Amino acid sequence: MFNFRCTYCDSEIQGEYCHIGERVECPLCSSVQILPDPIIPQGSRYHGYKIEGLLGSTLLWTTYKIEGLDKFPNEDLILRIPTTFFHKNVRSVQRFYNAVIKAGTLDMPEFPALLDRCLLDGKVYFVFEYLKGFRSIAGLASGQRLIEYHEAVSIVGNIAKGLSKAWSNSLMLHKNLVPSNILVDENCNVKVLNLGIYEFLLKDYSLIENGFSVWDCRYVSPEFISSNSSDSPACDICSLGGIFYLLLTGRHPYDGLEPEEIPNAPVPNIFDADPACPPRLADIASRMMSKDLENRIYELRRLIECFFKLLKSGFGLEE
């Protein structure tokens, strides 16, 4: 037996190891949830690394900050361990591993580098570079703009550059550009997390049928919602438009709408959230999020050119 906290009532309850990764009912509030993997204690050794602390846990994997011991001595690193739930439900785990490895070895600064891995039964893990100084932009959803306009332009332009290289070199799309997957540092450099894995996850209905869902309908394209169509950079550009909207306004696009309402809802008006937004920035964000593919900026090369012109002209602030 081991102790864990109910995700609904926050009570500490006990779980049996044999039921890890399966649906269980909380004996106190009767809520049904997935029994999580036990957390590795801080200070523990783990296959040549030292656990420094837990960074996060999802149905896909558990993430720790670690220190290299036998491997990469004294270096801070990131450890990601796929969950028992994932291994019990995924149809082709090897295809998932291949997707993680492909994205982690692109050797592009916009994506975290994969430094080590183990794919042996019972001890699968991935070790990535530690992203010192980077923070998630999810914290910028405060209801008001927290960064300067030129920072928003630089951040989204850098994301577009990374996506363009991944698409042109490897035909890789992201398919889940949400704030939690974007990290940025004080110089507007970006790290885009989880590239390449969502195309695989979208096709695994066994995972989805068992409660796995990581897509935020406020950020995905309308064609993705209506038909799961996401086979070109146009879908990522629409999501990136939502990211741009967040950076410009401090608000999520389509906030308050139900998923089924979003495909037919008008594109959010940036001026309703921030009347002072420079018109050129608002226009580009709206074109990125356009429901009509003919009106949407659908090529990453064109999008990068738009942002280059904004940077060259002083971010459009002269208007």
Side-chain angles (χ1 to χ4, degrees):
M1 303 284 285
F2 68 98
N3 294 337
F4 72 100
R5 289 197 173 276
C6 173
T7 56
Y8 295 92
C9 68
D10 200 39
S11 300
E12 187 170 294
I13 53 182
Q14 287 189 324
E16 296 186 29
Y17 286 95
C18 62
H19 294 310
I20 292 174
E22 300 176 359
R23 294 178 184 273
V24 296
E25 182 177 301
C26 174
L28 300 177
C29 71
S30 299
S31 62
V32 177
Q33 57 204 285
I34 305 297
L35 185 64
D37 291 82
I39 301 303
I40 304 174
Q42 184 176 357
S44 301
R45 288 182 63 99
Y46 184 89
H47 303 293
Y49 301 97
K50 178 183 177 183
I51 301 294
E52 293 289 305
L54 176 70
L55 294 180
S57 181
T58 67
L59 290 180
L60 178 58
W61 42 29
T62 308
T63 304
Y64 298 90
K65 180 182 177 183
I66 58 174
E67 178 186 347
L69 296 175
D70 304 335
K71 306 174 183 179
F72 307 101
N74 302 316
E75 286 190 37
D76 288 332
L77 302 160
I78 297 294
L79 172 70
R80 307 190 93 173
I81 306 173
T83 65
T84 302
F85 164 84
F86 181 77
H87 279 120
K88 283 186 174 181
N89 290 283
V90 69
R91 290 182 177 178
S92 176
V93 69
Q94 188 59 53
R95 288 178 56 201
F96 174 76
Y97 298 161
N98 292 342
V100 175
I101 293 168
K102 182 178 180 181
T105 54
L106 287 176
D107 194 24
M108 298 177 184
E110 296 84 3
F111 307 102
L114 178 64
L115 303 178
D116 188 22
R117 61 184 183 268
C118 179
L119 305 181
L120 299 178
D121 288 342
K123 59 174 184 177
V124 176
Y125 63 83
F126 300 92
V127 175
F128 291 88
E129 62 174 318
Y130 179 66
L131 304 176
K132 184 178 181 179
F134 283 82
R135 71 186 193 281
S136 169
I137 67 168
L140 298 178
S142 65
Q144 60 183 349
R145 180 170 58 88
L146 297 179
I147 65 173
E148 301 296 332
Y149 295 124
H150 71 275
E151 294 176 307
V153 172
S154 296
I155 290 169
V156 177
N158 287 336
I159 296 170
K161 290 177 185 177
L163 295 176
S164 180
K165 288 186 286 187
W167 174 249
S168 60
N169 294 348
S170 304
L171 295 180
M172 296 183 72
L173 298 172
H174 194 283
K175 302 193 177 184
N176 194 21
L177 282 174
V178 295
S180 59
N181 276 327
I182 307 295
L183 305 182
V184 61
D185 70 6
E186 61 181 8
N187 296 315
C188 298
N189 298 309
V190 301
K191 294 288 184 179
V192 181
L193 307 183
N194 298 327
L195 176 72
I197 69 171
Y198 295 107
E199 181 171 7
F200 163 78
L201 296 173
L202 274 170
K203 298 174 181 178
D204 198 319
Y205 293 103
S206 177
L207 282 172
I208 295 173
E209 289 170 356
N210 281 283
F212 182 84
S213 179
V214 292
W215 291 272
D216 187 336
C217 289
R218 297 172 298 184
Y219 286 90
V220 300
S221 65
E223 61 270 20
F224 180 96
I225 296 176
S226 59
S227 62
N228 279 346
S229 175
S230 55
D231 56 0
S232 78
C235 69
D236 279 351
I237 289 174
C238 188
S239 300
L240 188 54
I243 295 291
F244 198 21
Y245 178 91
L246 168 66
L247 297 177
L248 293 173
T249 67
R251 303 182 185 181
H252 294 295
Y254 305 107
D255 213 8
L257 296 182
E258 296 297 326
E260 61 271 15
E261 297 176 310
I262 293 176
N264 296 319
V267 172
N269 188 332
I270 286 180
F271 297 118
D272 290 341
D274 181 13
C277 183
R280 290 175 62 186
L281 274 63
D283 177 64
I284 289 179
S286 296
R287 289 166 59 199
M288 292 170 69
M289 291 189 289
S290 176
K291 305 296 181 70
D292 185 348
L293 283 173
E294 292 185 0
N295 293 328
R296 187 185 305 167
I297 302 174
Y298 60 87
E299 292 181 351
L300 287 163
R301 176 184 54 81
R302 284 187 57 207
L303 181 62
I304 293 169
E305 289 175 355
C306 288
F307 280 105
F308 175 77
K309 291 177 181 178
L310 284 174
L311 291 168
K312 189 175 181 180
S313 67
F315 313 107
L317 299 181
E318 72 279 2
E319 301 182 14

